[in-house]
Amino acid sequence: MKLTRGQEVRPSPPPPLEANDKLVTAVGTAGWAVALVVLLIVRGSLPAGDRWWIWTCACGLAMGLFALWYVPRLKRTRARAAASRAAESEQGDRVQSAPRDNGSNTVSSTETPGRSTRS
């Protein structure tokens, strides 16, 4: 890290923490459910202009329930994709394949040093 006059050395930030996604989603969904129940109980005393909060809580609850179903599937899919990439990478390290011809007429600047590929 280069320092200029007047700058202090900052420590590097800590790595991001992994969260329990299912627990976080469940707590958020439970919060929307509690808010919906409370608003349904006091619905009669709410002014007509503030009753939209009931629908907000209902939508939050529905989205939370969807997230409880979707997030585990998303994590499994990402884990499978990462494992597949790791296996391909490991296999690619063992066997070097020839470069593929994709039909492009563009010349790489690494193939012709000192010349630009832009017209």
Side-chain angles (χ1 to χ4, degrees), residues 21-22 24-33 36 54-72:
D21 297 328
K22 196 167 187 172
V24 170
T25 306
V27 168
T29 304
W32 283 115
L36 178 62
I54 294 171
W55 289 106
T56 301
C57 292
C59 288
L61 177 61
M63 288 172 38
L65 291 173
F66 173 75
L68 283 171
W69 171 81
Y70 180 71
V71 168

Side-chain angles (χ1 to χ4, degrees), residues 27-89:
V27 168
T29 304
W32 283 115
V34 168
L36 178 62
V37 168
V38 168
L39 286 174
L40 288 174
I41 290 171
V42 299
R43 168 179 53 198
S45 64
L46 282 175
D50 287 341
R51 292 196 180 150
W52 60 271
W53 279 103
I54 294 171
W55 289 106
T56 301
C57 292
C59 288
L61 177 61
M63 288 172 38
L65 291 173
F66 173 75
L68 283 171
W69 171 81
Y70 180 71
V71 168
R73 283 158 185 75
L74 175 69
K75 290 187 76 106
R76 280 195 301 267
T77 303
R78 287 182 176 174
R80 262 189 251 124
S84 174
R85 280 192 307 269
E88 287 175 4
S89 171

